[in-house]
Amino acid sequence: MTKTKTKTKKLTLAMALLLAIGCLGGCKGKDGDSSSNFENSSLEEVNSGLLYEGKGLVQLAPGQETELTIGKDVESQNYLSIQLVTGVNLVGYIHYHETENTANTHKEKIYIEAQDKTFSMFLDAFRVGAFGAFEKTIDKITLRNVSKESGVINVKRVDIGDRVYDNQETLYTSNAYLKIGASLAAGGSLCHVESLNRSVVEYIDQDGKVRIDQYIDQEKVNTVTDQVNLVNIHDLGREIQQSYYSHVNEVNGYAPDDDVLYEGNLLYNPVQAGSAGDKQSQIIDYRVDENGIYVKCRPQDWFLRNTQTDSYMESNYTFAKDGTLRVENRFVNFSEFKDMEKTWMGGQESPAIYIVHPLNYFYCETIEGEICDPNLLGAMTTPSKNSLSHEIEGQYHYTLSEEQVYKNWFAFVNDQKFGMGIYMPNMDNLVASRGWTTTLYTMIANHYYNSDIYQLDGPKYPSAYVNNYNYCCPSTIRRMADFVPFEYTFAVYVGTVEEMRDTFGQLQESKAITNESMEAWEGLKS
């Protein structure tokens, strides 16, 4: 499959979300250890130096700007930290130039929320496609009040440090049940979920089909891998990641021209992992410690080759005592497009979920009964099936309303009903589809992987890397807003359907996750 086809696939999924608006075994770890064993640590010492020392309180009216004059050569240091007190939201720019070539200038837009005390970030020097990968002199930092009221800010100091990150590193943490990974090559998106206590194996069966199952004796099967990642990571449009849309255009100030990868009308689409042009999102900050993994990024605009959006995404990964992985996602946009409050509400991928294709049965308990279906196909090339009783001749995918998915969870499983499930309350509808769906192990199907991104030894490639995929998305129909955080939490469980029903049922009963904070954006329920 060419890169162009891969990009088109992501575009069709985006359009499917818009169409959805009108369609309305083993030890479970119940009382187990939820602590993390982390393989990477961001607690290293950072050598830093003072760039700017504060000069006291500054009163800023709405729209008013203040400037911090710096003019210092920081060489190859790229980890900047601002300590401040602010009662208003601030948008600013870090201005710098290449020290050996003063004509090469760049500025990075930043956003600091009211009540923040420290704002830290990696300058854009490390990712694939970085604009500031040179020794630099920082000229100045400007800060502008974007709140509706006046306020006082006090910038105490600005420091620059030598902390770096590897743009190909995956941050891992594990407990007794799961090993999970967040990729710095993909904006901190969830790129690895592996069961550790069920002897899960990916193998080729006697009929030549790829299977993933638990408690497998490897001496009796043709093993592909016994370190089975259940997340598909074929390209930067896969993973389990944040993805949002706004229906802005040139009237609103969104008019990309020289970086566009598609013809026709575009959507503003910040994507956590990166762009369809294989350019990575900028890592702003991250940490890995005994509490889990946290990553903040400045995402790419998917439909453009290498354009960073004016937004931040944050993901926090922790283990819970019920055996689930909890993922807390947060997004804040600061693009300052005009009249965003007048744009059309669209489906927000909350989140976009790509699961390995051998778990080829879509499972969901609906008000009409149990769906356990291996026959669904692509979301744009097939009609939408809206319920268990909805009869469609030929191919289809699912778009189920919140009323249908009343238990708030769904899964992709194998024919023994083992797989990976997601609990996500307060969705408006659920979209589920499959792509390149054969499970036969052939060179033209699941044997194919993206050699532009990965270099695998072979000859057998795990399904996490190949083009075949399962896709599901709890879609929320909302209008993106500037400076208003959009936050939600979901839970991930690896096991049998029976275990998921029990675990997620207890989550629903306890109301431990409600996602009421998503109401901050105007939506269908507003």
Side-chain angles (χ1 to χ4, degrees):
M1 183 177 182
T2 66
K3 291 168 63 179
T4 301
K5 290 180 181 177
T6 300
K7 295 165 188 170
T8 303
K9 181 271 306 174
K10 180 65 169 62
L11 177 61
T12 59
L13 292 174
M15 295 307 299
L17 283 171
L18 303 178
L19 293 175
I21 300 173
C23 308
L24 283 189
C27 179
K28 295 170 60 179
K30 281 293 181 186
D31 299 305
D33 181 12
S34 62
S35 61
S36 301
N37 302 306
F38 51 98
E39 300 180 18
N40 325 70
S41 176
S42 62
L43 303 179
E44 72 274 9
E45 296 248 348
V46 178
N47 295 315
S48 60
L50 181 67
L51 282 183
Y52 176 89
E53 191 165 15
K55 295 177 173 57
L57 304 178
V58 177
Q59 176 85 18
L60 292 180
Q64 188 176 1
E65 181 178 283
T66 187
E67 179 179 308
L68 315 180
T69 303
I70 296 176
K72 292 186 178 180
D73 181 355
V74 299
E75 299 178 343
S76 59
Q77 294 181 304
N78 286 286
Y79 187 66
L80 186 135
S81 179
I82 303 173
Q83 295 184 34
L84 78 166
V85 177
T86 176
V88 293
N89 296 328
L90 301 169
V91 163
Y93 287 93
I94 302 169
H95 298 256
Y96 56 82
H97 67 266
E98 185 175 359
T99 303
E100 298 300 320
N101 178 15
T102 58
N104 185 16
T105 63
H106 188 60
K107 62 180 181 180
E108 298 192 31
K109 192 174 183 179
I110 62 173
Y111 177 61
I112 302 175
E113 296 182 56
Q115 312 308 321
D116 281 355
K117 295 182 179 179
T118 300
F119 173 83
S120 298
M121 68 174 290
F122 292 102
L123 297 177
D124 189 26
F126 302 106
R127 68 182 178 90
V128 173
F131 294 111
F134 47 74
E135 292 195 355
K136 56 181 61 69
T137 294
I138 297 182
D139 301 305
K140 63 182 179 180
I141 298 174
T142 59
L143 298 171
R144 174 169 47 88
N145 178 7
V146 293
S147 293
K148 295 180 180 179
E149 64 281 343
S150 298
V152 175
I153 71 168
N154 181 9
V155 178
K156 296 181 177 181
R157 59 184 291 145
V158 179
D159 294 277
I160 193 74
D162 60 0
R163 188 181 176 204
V164 301
Y165 75 87
D166 179 354
N167 69 14
Q168 297 301 315
E169 183 178 9
T170 297
L171 310 173
Y172 292 103
T173 188
S174 62
N175 63 6
Y177 313 108
L178 293 174
K179 176 180 179 180
I180 67 106
S183 174
L184 298 184
S189 59
L190 184 59
C191 68
H192 191 99
V193 176
E194 176 186 351
S195 174
L196 296 181
N197 67 322
R198 296 173 179 268
S199 302
V200 175
V201 175
E202 180 174 347
Y203 63 97
I204 305 170
D205 70 12
Q206 59 186 6
D207 296 322
K209 294 185 177 181
V210 184
R211 294 181 58 86
I212 291 175
D213 211 345
Q214 59 180 342
Y215 307 122
I216 297 298
D217 183 353
Q218 291 192 64
E219 294 184 358
K220 297 181 180 180
V221 298
N222 182 4
T223 299
V224 176
T225 180
D226 60 0
Q227 298 178 339
V228 183
N229 179 13
L230 300 179
V231 181
N232 182 273
I233 56 173
H234 176 266
D235 59 44
L236 295 179
R238 305 289 179 89
E239 293 78 36
I240 298 178
Q241 62 170 310
Q242 299 183 62
S243 173
Y244 305 95
Y245 301 87
S246 181
H247 292 260
V248 290
N249 54 35
E250 62 276 2
V251 175
N252 308 96
Y254 180 68
D257 48 13
D258 59 351
D259 203 30
V260 177
L261 295 173
Y262 297 98
E263 296 180 358
N265 295 328
L266 296 178
L267 295 174
Y268 174 63
N269 181 200
V271 168
Q272 187 171 12
S275 74
D278 293 333
K279 295 298 186 292
Q280 298 172 338
S281 293
Q282 178 183 352
I283 300 299
I284 296 298
D285 211 348
Y286 74 93
R287 65 174 180 268
V288 186
D289 56 29
E290 64 276 6
N291 297 315
I293 299 173
Y294 165 84
V295 185
K296 180 179 182 179
C297 79
R298 183 180 176 188
Q300 287 272 328
D301 194 333
W302 173 260
F303 298 104
L304 309 182
R305 188 176 309 281
N306 187 21
T307 296
Q308 298 161 288
T309 62
D310 294 334
S311 68
Y312 291 140
M313 292 179 181
E314 298 170 85
S315 292
N316 196 48
Y317 305 98
T318 57
F319 295 117
K321 290 184 178 181
D322 61 2
T324 63
L325 167 69
R326 302 291 175 87
V327 183
E328 300 168 84
N329 281 340
R330 188 176 195 267
F331 172 77
V332 62
N333 191 69
F334 50 97
S335 61
E336 302 181 272
F337 295 131
K338 298 177 182 177
D339 299 324
M340 290 184 71
E341 70 280 2
K342 298 178 182 179
T343 57
W344 188 40
M345 291 182 190
Q348 310 296 346
E349 294 178 285
S350 309
I353 300 166
Y354 287 85
I355 296 174
V356 291
H357 73 94
L359 302 178
N360 58 325
Y361 285 74
F362 170 62
Y363 184 89
C364 187
E365 296 182 353
T366 74
I367 57 175
E368 296 185 2
E370 174 187 283
I371 294 173
C372 191
D373 190 347
N375 298 314
L376 57 165
L377 290 170
M380 265 304 285
T381 58
T382 63
S384 180
K385 187 169 182 175
N386 304 132
S387 68
L388 180 64
S389 61
H390 185 189
E391 294 184 2
I392 293 180
E393 292 185 6
Q395 300 175 345
Y396 56 86
H397 70 280
Y398 283 95
T399 300
L400 304 173
S401 68
E402 180 186 24
E403 291 72 26
Q404 285 283 332
V405 192
Y406 71 108
K407 292 188 177 180
N408 297 319
W409 71 273
F410 50 91
F412 272 100
V413 298
N414 63 13
D415 56 1
Q416 302 300 308
K417 295 186 177 179
F418 165 81
M420 184 161 72
I422 308 291
Y423 177 79
M424 173 64 191
N426 206 20
M427 70 181 90
D428 287 313
N429 50 55
L430 174 65
V431 179
S433 64
R434 304 187 68 226
W436 300 85
T437 55
T438 178
T439 56
L440 287 174
Y441 197 75
T442 67
M443 284 296 293
I444 62 171
N446 54 321
H447 200 71
Y448 174 83
Y449 77 98
N450 191 340
S451 59
D452 289 344
I453 298 178
Y454 304 105
Q455 299 298 319
L456 305 179
D457 293 333
K460 292 180 284 189
Y461 304 124
S463 59
Y465 295 97
V466 303
N467 199 32
N468 316 46
Y469 64 88
N470 299 319
Y471 168 79
C472 48
C473 165
S475 174
T476 53
I477 313 304
R478 304 201 175 272
R479 181 182 290 114
M480 185 185 295
D482 266 339
F483 316 126
V484 179
F486 185 79
E487 303 172 273
Y488 62 89
T489 299
F490 64 96
V492 180
Y493 188 86
V494 177
T496 65
V497 161
E498 182 179 354
E499 294 165 353
M500 293 177 200
R501 183 183 301 117
D502 182 32
T503 300
F504 293 149
Q506 292 187 42
L507 263 180
Q508 185 173 35
E509 184 178 356
S510 69
K511 296 183 178 179
I513 303 173
T514 63
N515 289 330
E516 293 178 355
S517 58
M518 291 196 299
E519 305 299 330
W521 282 9
E522 185 181 3
L524 295 178
K525 302 172 186 175
S526 301

